[in-house]
Structures are given as structure tokens and as C-alpha cells.
Amino acid sequence: MKNSVPIVWMKGISKVYRSEGVETVALRNINLTINKGEFIAITGRSGSGKSTLMHLIGLLDTPTSGAYKLNGVDVSKLDEDSLASQRNVEIGFVFQSFNLLPRATSLENVTLPAIYAGVSEEERLERATKLLTEIGLEDQLNKRPNQMSGGQQQRVAIARALMNDPELILADEPTGNLDTKSGEDVMNTLKKLNKDDKTIVLITHEKDIANQAKRMLHLEDGEIK
Amino acid sequence: MDLRELITLSIHAIAVNKLRSFLTTLGIVIGVFSIIVLVSIGSGINSYVTSQISSLGSNIFEVLPGGEGNIFGGFLSTNLKLSDSKNIQRNLAGIGKVTPILQQAAIIKYKNVKIKDAFVGGVSYEYPQVVTSLKMKYGNFFTKSQEASGAPIVVLGYKINEHFFKNRNPIGKRIYVGEKQYTVIAVADKTGTVFGAFDRDNIVYIPVELAQSQFGTSYIRQIVISADSKELIPIAIKRVETTLLKRLTKDDFTIETADSISETVSNVTNVLSLALGGIAGISLLVGGIGVANIMLVSVTERTREIGLRKALGAKRSDILKQFLLESIMISVGGGLIGIALGMAASLIIAKILVSQVTAWSILIAFGFSVLVGVVFGMAPAIRASKLNPIDALRYE
Ligand SMILES: Nc1ncnc2c1ncn2[C@@H]1O[C@H](COP(=O)(O)OP(=O)(O)OP(=O)(O)O)[C@@H](O)[C@H]1O
Ligand SMILES: [Mg+2]
């Protein structure tokens, strides 16, 4: 049965940073299973390893040790290009600082993942327009990031994360740079996506944000508590 | 990512930093511009000299004093005598025409008008049949009997007549060549050619014996022969050799054909073109280093963008292509501007001096600018493609 394969399956994952001879253990022996359709919040103090965990889940970085299967695929065997295409189709990222291309319009920013998926321009624009409209930005299609509010920018980033219709959305402090109202908008969008069967991993250090998730996970000094 | 998208992307990136892109391009523009201009001048000189040689006549060759490869030393030689020219003429009867040449700078004068930079050419009556490009405007060149009579007669070059007589018919007028008076019997038509140091319109022709006695010389400068047909050239050369070897040794003279002269000239101008092109190439190289430099800056500046693109699914090759294409476009853009400016400049130079834009110099210049883009864009592009997405995203 398809649903029996967890989207994230981690066993004994640890991450040690080595820079200039100093070792920082960012994650220690993480065992984590996230099933499809979950909405999970990861909390923890600054430096507890939340972002590091998200980077590992998102295939942006590789663990020092341990096993990780994304959607049933052992990603430790994948080369750089395969990791890139896994990120491209399986995962949508939402960052605290939005990470939009400053000189590109909303439409251009949203279409970006589809360019690397080889989708035709016509199809890309059609889908990006649809996504931006659904997210309530139909009048911001040709605006640049610096012509929009933070909340609008973050919603553009969410539309971008949805561009290739991935199963997993990873959001690292998506409300961290937003006021309460915009933060609520973003949370509502994420909740709606989860209703539409997207798996959401949300990193936050705000209690009331985390409380909106269906499941909570607490990190302390690189360990799940 | 297809090429069209990559190009759009590069145009965007280049347009973002217009001034910087322009300044970077400038290095390439200057390099390509100098290649086009310098190579055009080189080939302009080449084709100019070649056309000058062929303008003398088609089946021409000449005997110069001095051994093979020692033509310049031969200028000081007094080996060739008038009798050599006469012997050759006798032995070439029916095969070709012959004229000795003894030329020297002299002051010529009509009434109180003086020309100081004119040349006097002592030649024989067969001269116009040898150098067939020479036509008469007024009168006829001196004949065999006129030459034999020893009468002081002179044929004016076009510019001399223009200067002294405002292009009117001067036949019968008397002019001074040096201290001696000569009667004008003919005026040559405009040749419009300069051969070596002397302007073939700024000259007067007198019978060679008169020139010898006036200059006090017993030798002649060269003997020019025109075979009656192309096929006869080898036979004529053979006969000239046999004739001369009766009195002289192989080291006393050199036979130069129009082809061998063109070849020598071509060799010289090709080396010149290469040298000029090489200098231009160096400036293109410097331009290329400028491109590499700016691309490295651009990669550093856009570290976050690269990280983001990678996070969103860009492969190494996507990033590599993106940055490589950008540097190629900067270089090729500069190349195209350089080619356009170079061609324009070459056309202007062609009006004043000599210059000839050649297809191959354009191709080479274009090819080089693509190459510069690839070579100097490669290192920055590789650096960009190797960035770790997470390090790049964290980069501030
Ligand atoms: N590239 C790196 N090199 C060295 N140490 C690192 C690196 N990245 C993170 N760390 C360290 O790993 C630990 C976990 O960092 P991480 O960014 O995961 O924390 P976080 O929980 O996301 O914190 P925050 O809430 O402030 O974002 C920290 O001690 C941090 O200093
Ligand atoms: Mg963090």
C-alpha cells in the first residue's frame, strides 16, 4: 500500500560540523518518521539544530552518519544531480528570509523550480498564475519582491514551493520575519495546503505557531526530546 | 533549461549591471577592434603592393645587380652595364622587350618653377612596351632613332606637366633637368601608382645614355624585361641568364619575376599582419582577464542566488551553463561591437592609407571572442557550479 511508505524515515542520524578544527555536534542520533499528510512542527531553542535537521530532510546537506529514506528512496546513494532533481520534484522550501530573486517578478520567481524540471514556458506561466491567484496575489504577478510586503513575499515563496507539486513542504521559520497578521495568513495557507494532502514540516520557536500543527517535536542540543 | 531560457537569463543578468557589463565588454571591444584594424591594414598593404607590381605589366621581370638574397646590397653595385641591356635586347628579339633603367632624384626647372623631389628615369625607347601601363597623353615616347641621335629630349610624367604647364600640351617647350636643357616631346598619362619610393607620375624620362653622361655613371640600376607572352617568360629568363653569364658571375645579378616580388612582399606583409594581430591578441587576452575577473565578482555577489537555484533543483550543469553563457555573451557582445567599429575604422583608413577588411580576420576575431568567453568564463562558472547549496544559501 502506497500510504505505508513514510515520506521521511531517519534512523540514527547525526550531523557534526567541523570548521577550523572545532567540532560542533548539531544533531545526535535522530530517529524520525514523518508520514504523508502530517503537519509537524519542530521547535527548540536557537542553536538546537532545527535548521540543520531541515537541511538534512531537504537534501540540502548530508548527514555525518545514519540512514535516511525520502519517500522510500535511500538518498545516501544518490549523486549530486539526482539529489538536485529529488529536491526539485519532492520538496518545496519556504525560508524565513523568503529567498526570492530580487530582480525577478512574482511570476518569474514562482516558475523557477519548473524551469529546472523542464516544463514548457507556456505551462509554467499558466501554473504559476493559477498558484499566485489561489494564494490571493493575482494583482501582484508582475511585481518585484521590493515592491511587495513581507507577507506577500512569503506567499510568493509558498507559491514557488508548490510549483512542481511536491509532497513535502519544508518551512523554516516562515513567520519569523512577519507581523502577527501576515504570519497568520501564512499559517492559514499552510494549514489549507495540509488539508489538500501536503505533508508540512514547520520549524518555529513560537509556541502558539507550533500549537497549530498536528504534531510537535522538540529539539534540545541536537536531540529529540 | 533550454538555450533560449539561458540566453534570456544572461541578458537579464547583464542588464542588471549595465555599466559594469559595458566596461567589461570594453576590453573585448578594444581587443577585437585592434585585431580587425591591424589585420586589415596588413592585408591592405599586401594587396596594394601586389596590385602595384602587376600594374607595371603582366609578363614582366627584372634584372637587379647583386646576388640572390642580396638585392639591397645590390643597390650599391655597379655591375650592370648598358651593354648588358643591349646584349639582352639583341638575344630576346622576337621574344620580349627590354629597357635599362637608371633613375635618380634631380631638380627640374621650367622658367622659374622648380620641382625638387622629382625623379629622372634614364630608359630606352622600348620602355613603354615593357611597362605597358604607361600611356602617352600628348606626343609619343622617344623612338629608337631619336634615342640614337643623342638629342636632349624628355618625356614628362603627369604631375610634372600638371605642375609646369597646368596639364596643357607642352610639346616643344624646354625644361631644365639639373643643369641641362631638354626639349619636351611627350607627356605620360596619369598612372596613379607609386612603386617603392618613387611616384611614377612625378618623373621625367630621358634616353639612358644622356642620363649616364649627365649623372656621370657608367652603370645602370636595373634591366626590366617584358616577355611577349606568359609562356615565353621561362625561355626569356633562361636567355637573359645565359647572356649575362658570359660577362658576369651568378653572384653579380638577380632575376626577379613579378611573382617572386609579390611573394617576397606577401611574406613581409604576412609577418607584419601576424605581428600586428599578435599585439591585438594580447589586448584581447587582457580583455579576457577582465571578463574572468568580473565573472568571479559576479559569482561571489550571486552566491545566494546560486544556492537558491540549487535548492530549487538546478543541477551543476545548469549553473555552469548559466554563468558560462553569461561570459560568452559579454565577450561575443564585445566582439560584435569591436568588429563593427573595426570595420568602420578600416573603411575610413582605406580612404586615407591602405586597408582591406578580410572575411577571415572577422571570423578569427569573432572566434577569439567566443573563445575568450569560454576560456575566461570557465573558471568562474565552475566555481559557481560547485557551490554547496546550503553554504551558498547561508552566505551573506
Ligand atoms: N556550517 C556550520 N558550521 C559550523 N557549525 C554550524 C554550521 N551550521 C550550524 N552550525 C552549528 O550547529 C548548531 C545548530 O545550528 P542550527 O542552525 O541548526 O540551529 P537552529 O536550531 O536552526 O537555530 P536558530 O533558531 O537560531 O535558527 C549550532 O550550534 C550552530 O552553531
Ligand atoms: Mg535556524
Side-chain angles (χ1 to χ4, degrees):
Chain A
M1 212 172 88
K2 191 166 176 261
N3 273 351
S4 68
V5 181
I7 191 144
V8 172
W9 180 85
M10 283 184 160
K11 187 145 184 68
I13 289 282
S14 56
K15 178 72 186 177
V16 182
Y17 290 109
R18 286 187 186 85
S19 53
E20 290 148 27
V22 185
E23 282 196 7
T24 316
V25 182
L27 292 174
R28 237 181 271 270
N29 193 28
I30 300 284
N31 297 313
L32 174 63
T33 304
I34 302 172
N35 287 308
K36 286 177 189 171
E38 280 201 74
F39 189 157
I40 179 168
I42 299 176
T43 57
R45 273 210 302 267
S46 181
S48 58
K50 305 183 295 293
S51 295
T52 305
L53 181 58
M54 193 195 94
H55 293 151
L56 291 183
I57 297 173
L59 306 179
L60 291 171
D61 209 349
T62 46
T64 313
S65 62
Y68 175 27
K69 284 186 186 174
L70 175 69
N71 223 351
V73 178
D74 181 356
V75 294
S76 67
K77 304 243 181 340
L78 299 181
D79 63 12
E80 223 193 276
D81 279 359
S82 311
L83 289 176
S85 43
Q86 288 285 313
R87 286 196 293 271
N88 188 232
V89 295
E90 301 278 6
I91 300 164
F93 290 97
V94 181
F95 304 94
Q96 177 173 356
S97 52
F98 322 139
N99 272 325
L100 298 174
L101 293 182
R103 283 168 186 109
T105 63
S106 303
L107 266 181
E108 287 165 342
N109 266 299
V110 173
T111 53
L112 206 53
I115 291 180
Y116 295 113
V119 177
S120 77
E121 191 181 4
E122 200 186 338
E123 239 176 289
R124 284 195 319 249
L125 287 176
E126 195 185 319
R127 181 162 169 78
T129 311
K130 183 169 157 265
L131 286 169
L132 283 166
T133 308
E134 279 171 6
I135 222 157
L137 294 173
E138 61 274 13
D139 49 354
Q140 312 286 320
L141 298 184
N142 293 311
K143 291 244 175 95
R144 305 233 164 121
N146 63 2
Q147 299 167 317
M148 290 184 288
S149 74
Q152 288 171 325
Q153 290 183 58
Q154 193 60 299
R155 279 185 288 150
V156 171
I158 293 174
R160 180 179 66 191
L162 296 171
M163 187 65 194
N164 285 346
D165 199 20
E167 288 199 63
L168 182 59
I169 305 289
L170 300 180
D172 191 351
E173 311 250 14
T175 59
N177 281 5
L178 302 179
D179 59 50
T180 323
K181 172 72 182 62
S182 307
E184 270 170 23
D185 284 349
V186 165
M187 281 311 293
N188 287 334
T189 308
L190 290 178
K191 278 188 261 184
K192 183 172 165 295
L193 289 175
N194 180 243
K195 237 181 232 133
D196 297 341
D197 279 344
K198 297 278 178 216
T199 311
I200 314 265
V201 177
L202 170 73
I203 288 172
T204 179
H205 58 257
E206 291 172 68
K207 265 268 151 54
D208 36 334
I209 296 278
N211 282 332
Q212 301 179 45
K214 293 177 188 163
R215 177 180 161 199
M216 267 211 270
L217 203 84
H218 189 69
L219 277 180
E220 238 169 71
D221 288 336
E223 284 179 289
I224 295 178
K225 284 280 142 88
Chain B
M1 236 182 153
D2 65 27
L3 189 64
R4 202 174 55 84
E5 276 160 356
L6 280 169
I7 290 175
T8 318
L9 200 61
S10 304
I11 291 173
H12 270 292
I14 290 168
V16 162
N17 276 300
K18 285 190 194 68
L19 180 63
R20 191 169 82 187
S21 305
F22 169 73
L23 291 175
T24 312
T25 302
L26 214 52
I28 306 291
V29 171
I30 292 168
V32 167
F33 173 83
S34 8
I35 288 189
I36 301 276
V37 169
L38 294 179
V39 171
S40 298
I41 291 176
S43 50
I45 293 173
N46 190 356
S47 73
Y48 172 72
V49 174
T50 313
S51 76
Q52 291 296 311
I53 292 167
S54 61
S55 76
L56 290 175
S58 48
N59 303 322
I60 240 169
F61 63 97
E62 58 181 358
V63 179
L64 297 166
E68 186 92 51
N70 190 23
I71 307 165
F72 295 106
F75 278 136
L76 300 170
S77 164
T78 55
N79 281 339
L80 285 181
K81 306 290 178 196
L82 192 51
S83 58
D84 295 323
S85 171
K86 290 195 166 151
N87 290 338
I88 289 171
Q89 191 178 10
R90 201 172 319 113
N91 291 343
L92 282 186
I95 296 182
K97 305 283 182 278
V98 181
T99 181
I101 295 180
L102 174 64
Q103 85 239 3
Q104 198 161 315
I107 294 170
I108 57 175
K109 206 167 72 179
Y110 174 69
K111 291 190 174 156
N112 41 23
V113 186
K114 260 190 198 171
I115 300 178
K116 287 184 176 155
D117 63 347
F119 271 91
V120 179
V123 298
S124 85
Y125 66 94
E126 278 191 339
Y127 185 83
Q129 287 152 276
V130 175
V131 181
T132 50
S133 55
L134 189 74
K135 303 281 184 264
M136 291 302 125
K137 184 171 155 82
Y138 299 118
N140 295 304
F141 208 76
F142 52 83
T143 61
K144 189 177 180 179
S145 53
Q146 280 177 310
E147 182 178 346
S149 73
I153 45 178
V154 66
V155 176
L156 304 186
Y158 183 85
K159 281 188 185 164
I160 308 283
N161 187 46
E162 189 174 43
H163 208 91
F164 283 165
F165 303 107
K166 308 278 172 285
N167 280 331
R168 282 191 292 270
N169 189 337
I171 290 176
K173 298 270 196 284
R174 286 157 168 265
I175 66 160
Y176 277 93
V177 175
E179 295 304 311
K180 222 181 142 194
Q181 216 176 30
Y182 287 80
T183 307
V184 177
I185 59 156
V187 177
D189 220 339
K190 192 176 194 158
T191 64
T193 53
V194 177
F195 189 65
F198 84 99
D199 181 344
R200 298 211 297 129
D201 291 320
N202 193 28
I203 193 169
V204 296
Y205 299 98
I206 58 175
V208 64
E209 282 98 338
L210 291 181
Q212 279 192 321
S213 67
Q214 181 159 0
F215 301 150
T217 56
S218 59
Y219 57 87
I220 53 173
R221 210 44 299 147
Q222 74 205 91
I223 302 168
V224 183
I225 299 118
S226 168
D228 288 347
S229 72
K230 192 141 199 101
E231 293 68 40
L232 287 172
I233 296 176
I235 305 170
I237 290 177
K238 196 84 218 139
R239 286 212 190 162
V240 169
E241 255 171 3
T242 351
T243 311
L244 289 173
L245 284 174
K246 279 188 190 140
R247 193 181 75 77
L248 298 163
T249 69
K250 258 192 148 34
D251 289 336
D252 292 328
F253 65 91
T254 306
I255 295 177
E256 287 275 5
T257 62
D259 285 350
S260 71
I261 298 171
S262 323
E263 199 180 315
T264 312
V265 171
S266 288
N267 285 343
V268 172
T269 53
N270 282 347
V271 169
L272 190 72
S273 292
L274 272 180
L276 294 176
I279 295 167
I282 292 172
S283 66
L284 191 54
L285 187 77
V286 174
I289 294 169
V291 172
N293 190 19
I294 286 304
M295 288 309 297
L296 282 174
V297 170
S298 174
V299 167
T300 310
E301 272 182 358
R302 284 149 71 193
T303 298
R304 267 185 89 83
E305 175 193 328
I306 295 163
L308 176 70
R309 285 177 183 278
K310 285 197 148 191
L312 298 182
K315 298 188 172 69
R316 257 190 199 193
S317 58
D318 292 321
I319 303 293
L320 185 86
K321 280 187 229 158
Q322 180 185 342
F323 281 87
L324 202 53
L325 194 77
E326 205 173 305
S327 88
I328 291 175
M329 284 184 58
I330 289 179
S331 308
V332 169
L336 292 177
I337 297 172
I339 288 172
L341 293 178
M343 284 173 73
S346 297
L347 290 177
I348 294 168
I349 293 171
K351 292 220 159 36
I352 308 163
L353 292 161
V354 286
S355 177
Q356 190 181 49
V357 180
T358 54
W360 68 267
S361 67
I362 292 173
L363 282 179
I364 286 181
F366 184 78
F368 263 119
S369 52
V370 175
L371 195 72
V372 161
V374 173
V375 169
F376 291 98
M378 196 50 103
I382 287 177
R383 171 186 279 204
S385 75
K386 279 189 175 165
L387 283 176
N388 189 347
I390 197 61
D391 292 341
L393 269 177
R394 278 216 191 95
Y395 183 89
E396 289 302 335

